[in-house]
Amino acid sequence: MSFKSLGLSEPILKAIQKKGYETPSPIQAKAIPPVLEGKDVLASAQTGTGKTAGFTLPMLHYLSNNPHPKFRPIRALVLTPTRELAAQVFENVKEYSEFLDIKGAVIFGGVNQKPQVSKIKQGIDILVATPGRLLDLKNQGLLSLKHIEIFVLDEADRMLDMGFLRDIERVMKLMPNKRQNLMFSATFSKDIKKLAYSILNNPVQVEATPENTAVEIIEQKVYRVAKGKKTGLIIKLISEGNWQQVLVFTRTKHGANKLTKKMVSAGITAAAIHGNKSQGARTKALAGFKSGKIRVLVATDIAARGLDIPLLPHVINFELPNISEDYVHRIGRTGRAGAEGQAISLVSADETTYLAGIEKLIGEKIEMEIVDGFEPDPNASTEPIKPGQNRGRGGNRNSGSRNTGGNKNSNRNRSRNRSRNRNSN
Ligand code: ADP
Ligand code: MG
């Protein structure tokens, strides 16, 4: 299977060659033909499998072969959930269209709108956007979606997670009814199907599961640890293992900041990347991490989503995600392209339910270990902390009192813990 046999035009093949791709990835091989035929397509394949080119290449093929006869209106819209993803998709659009007469622009919030607006005014074929800034500029009368012929919803699952459903519906009303719709997603849930029904007409559905699913080639490990001892343990693991490029996930922005500060005080170069950081700060952190200047990048799920960081040897879940699928996305950051990687999770008692959910999803028990001096707190509640609840509460309040018995409730938790530990061994 070659890109040429998919029917893509010469200038596009040239750009692909320049980019260094030899063969289409499985999702590209499956998605590109129906997209070229003008069909609505729903495509799902896990993060890092090349979905961007899966819609960008055929989209460029169509737009360049069917130019607008009179002027240059926006004819293709790609919606993405985050600024990073928007920037990355646009970067790809630019690279793949190098040898075509196609113009594009990217818009997202958090930065001055002026340069974005002036770019649009010059006339563009493709607009890559996050929903907020798109609607904002539209409401100011600064852009029109009346000539859209191709609409792409990229990372659709994350769009839903981030609560963009209403915005998507608003955007849909601004486009002509007759258009091609494409939906790309890393996961394929009930909600995604529902969204697909409302957006797509008679869609062709394509899916690709990599030969070695992440979960199979990645060495996974769980450290059971008291909540309040997680920071000490992660610093010990990174220092003693002399790990140089580590991606750490926290559940909250606040948690990411706090952990980053502690790492830096412990002499480990670290930076946080999340939605509250300015675009400049995020770009700088990412560049520093890629170049090796920064050893540890601490990220929240949303900020990390879709970041183009190849081949990470170590991914650490400082906290488990409460959505099991996010665990698979997170650990998918290691062991890419067949290289081996290690995914470590620090799990406190209140995350027991999340761990069970993850093990059910991946269909295996993850190897469990306890490090001397960083034992789990036998008195801690195994009740999950609800999203939004203060995570600082509780902590290692009871640590050091593991043999003091405690009330009936904590005894029950303890035996529950113990039996789980045994199961995980
Ligand atoms: P996804 O959207 O599925 O998470 P991306 O489109 O961001 O994945 O692609 C992930 C990485 O794979 C990028 O670095 C991209 O340049 C690279 N890539 C995409 N297609 C190919 C290909 N056919 N051959 C080699 N590398 C590819
Ligand atoms: Mg993507």
Side-chain angles (χ1 to χ4, degrees):
M1 172 67 76
S2 65
F3 280 106
K4 196 177 171 132
S5 69
L6 292 174
L8 295 164
S9 64
E10 250 346 289
I12 296 177
L13 294 175
K14 197 168 149 191
I16 293 170
Q17 197 179 11
K18 189 168 170 191
K19 186 92 173 123
Y21 301 166
E22 283 166 9
T23 51
S25 70
I27 195 66
Q28 289 164 0
K30 287 184 184 174
I32 290 173
V35 178
L36 280 175
E37 283 172 38
K39 294 196 170 123
D40 280 14
V41 173
L42 171 60
S44 59
Q46 92 181 83
T47 303
T49 51
K51 292 191 290 298
T52 317
F55 60 80
T56 309
L57 300 175
M59 178 174 85
L60 288 170
H61 181 99
Y62 170 79
L63 293 173
S64 55
N65 284 333
N66 305 277
H68 194 277
K70 296 204 184 89
F71 61 116
R72 205 187 273 274
I74 306 174
R75 294 163 63 209
L77 171 67
V78 183
L79 271 194
T80 72
T82 67
R83 333 169 194 197
E84 278 83 7
L85 282 165
Q88 274 174 26
V89 169
F90 181 58
E91 195 52 42
N92 279 307
V93 167
K94 275 197 299 195
E95 287 170 337
Y96 302 141
S97 64
E98 185 182 342
F99 307 107
L100 296 170
D101 178 27
I102 289 285
K103 292 191 164 63
V106 60
I107 61 174
F108 45 74
V111 295
N112 190 339
Q113 73 175 42
K114 266 195 195 144
Q116 299 178 351
V117 173
S118 80
K119 194 79 203 284
I120 293 171
K121 288 225 167 99
Q122 289 164 26
I124 53 162
D125 308 279
I126 301 171
L127 181 64
V128 183
T130 53
R133 179 57 58 98
L134 178 73
L135 289 166
D136 193 5
L137 295 189
K138 164 68 198 163
N139 290 339
Q140 296 175 57
L142 297 170
L143 60 83
S144 161
L145 301 177
K146 286 204 177 111
H147 295 272
I148 295 292
E149 293 171 59
I150 304 180
F151 170 56
V152 185
L153 195 61
D154 189 24
E155 309 283 348
D157 49 350
R158 185 54 43 153
M159 288 276 206
L160 291 183
D161 290 351
M162 289 178 69
F164 281 135
L165 184 59
R166 292 286 298 278
D167 281 350
I168 295 168
E169 287 165 358
R170 283 186 193 111
V171 171
M172 304 246 291
K173 292 202 183 102
L174 304 171
M175 297 184 288
N177 282 332
K178 194 177 165 297
R179 55 167 199 267
Q180 183 180 19
N181 301 288
L182 311 173
M183 225 171 107
F184 280 71
S185 175
T187 56
F188 190 57
S189 63
K190 234 198 229 150
D191 287 342
I192 288 291
K193 266 187 221 167
K194 217 168 105 190
L195 182 64
Y197 278 123
S198 70
I199 296 182
L200 310 172
N201 296 316
N202 271 330
V204 173
Q205 191 188 318
V206 293
E207 247 176 298
T209 24
E211 281 165 29
N212 286 316
T213 56
V215 204
E216 279 163 19
I217 59 164
I218 295 164
E219 183 197 332
Q220 300 170 71
K221 200 180 230 181
V222 159
Y223 287 98
R224 285 278 189 177
V225 57
K227 197 179 212 48
K229 291 184 177 170
K230 282 189 175 187
T231 306
L233 179 57
I234 195 170
I235 289 171
K236 178 186 162 82
L237 292 171
I238 292 171
S239 318
E240 291 185 1
N242 195 21
W243 297 343
Q244 292 304 323
Q245 215 178 24
V246 192
L247 180 61
V248 175
F249 284 97
T250 59
R251 208 151 8 155
T252 63
K253 299 169 194 172
H254 174 67
N257 286 339
K258 215 168 108 186
L259 181 60
T260 304
K261 280 203 190 109
K262 291 202 174 140
M263 295 239 184
V264 171
S265 332
I268 297 172
T269 51
I273 184 163
H274 56 65
N276 283 2
K277 296 265 169 182
S278 72
Q279 184 61 25
R282 294 154 104 179
T283 311
K284 198 172 149 219
L286 190 60
F289 185 62
K290 281 188 181 173
S291 72
K293 249 190 257 163
I294 291 170
R295 247 171 107 179
V296 178
L297 193 64
V298 185
T300 54
D301 289 289
I302 288 168
R305 185 58 180 255
L307 284 186
D308 192 7
I309 323 169
L311 297 178
L312 285 178
H314 302 282
V315 169
I316 304 181
N317 297 309
F318 186 72
E319 289 151 337
L320 285 180
N322 43 7
I323 301 164
S324 301
E325 280 82 6
D326 281 348
Y327 174 84
V328 179
H329 289 311
R330 288 178 176 190
I331 71 166
R333 296 328 192 97
T334 181
R336 268 193 194 179
E340 272 181 38
Q342 199 185 30
I344 282 170
S345 303
L346 308 190
V347 180
S348 51
D350 57 314
E351 294 169 299
T352 302
T353 322
Y354 300 154
L355 181 61
I358 288 163
E359 290 181 330
K360 195 170 158 216
L361 178 74
I362 63 172
E364 62 177 278
K365 291 270 174 208
I366 304 170
E367 184 194 327
M368 201 264 308
E369 196 177 317
I370 292 173
V371 178
D372 284 346
F374 297 91
E375 289 83 1
D377 176 359
N379 293 320
S381 164
T382 53
E383 284 304 310
I385 288 182
K386 297 203 180 67
Q389 211 170 317
N390 180 9
R391 300 197 56 79
R393 195 180 52 91
N396 63 346
R397 204 176 26 169
N398 294 325
S399 72
S401 61
R402 54 189 302 191
N403 294 322
T404 54
N407 60 28
K408 245 192 210 152
N409 190 29
S410 65
N411 271 331
R412 196 184 64 214
N413 285 336
R414 191 173 355 169
S415 58
R416 221 200 280 169
N417 259 342
R418 228 189 266 137
S419 65
R420 270 212 65 76
N421 287 352
R422 211 182 295 135
N423 285 343
S424 320
N425 266 329

